[in-house]
Amino acid sequence: MIYHAEELVRQWVYAGADALEAASHIIPLWKDSVIITQEIQSFSPKMEEERQWREAVIQVNALLMTYADTVERVRNGVATNLKG
């Protein structure tokens, strides 16, 4: 089980790496894993790195969905099946 995948994306962004490229290398290693990531709200951060992080998380989450058999969104304790 992988918790807070968005924080891994933060590390990539702050290190100056291309988060989508980094994710494309690591996601196949997560086969058969349960991955939990926070949904990033549509706020407008003042720091450029935070804006880059938010956009990278959105892209990486979309990439994760393409690999996933099942995707569930849980909001306020209520699960909604998005895929599978």
Side-chain angles (χ1 to χ4, degrees), residues 2-9 36-38:
I2 298 162
Y3 291 101
H4 293 292
E6 78 281 356
E7 291 303 324
L8 181 57
V9 175
I36 299 172
T37 182
Q38 295 290 323

Side-chain angles (χ1 to χ4, degrees), residues 7 10-11 19 34 39 49 63 65 77:
E7 291 303 324
R10 184 188 304 273
Q11 291 175 17
V34 173
E39 180 180 23
E49 282 182 327
L63 182 62
M65 284 183 69

Side-chain angles (χ1 to χ4, degrees), residues 1-82:
M1 192 171 276
I2 298 162
Y3 291 101
H4 293 292
E6 78 281 356
E7 291 303 324
L8 181 57
V9 175
R10 184 188 304 273
Q11 291 175 17
W12 292 330
V13 169
Y14 280 35
D18 180 329
L20 198 54
E21 183 180 335
S24 70
H25 293 292
I26 198 167
I27 289 172
L29 301 176
W30 292 348
K31 184 176 166 59
D32 300 324
S33 295
V34 173
I35 302 167
I36 299 172
T37 182
Q38 295 290 323
E39 180 180 23
I40 305 303
Q41 300 299 320
S42 59
F43 64 94
S44 183
K46 295 181 193 248
M47 291 177 40
E48 180 60 27
E49 282 182 327
E50 288 295 305
R51 276 194 293 276
Q52 290 173 354
W53 170 68
R54 180 192 64 196
E55 292 303 315
V57 168
I58 291 167
Q59 293 175 346
V60 169
N61 282 348
L63 182 62
L64 281 166
M65 284 183 69
T66 66
Y67 279 86
D69 295 327
T70 302
V71 177
E72 299 233 353
R73 178 184 198 180
V74 180
R75 179 176 270 170
N76 298 327
V78 178
T80 303
N81 187 311
L82 300 178

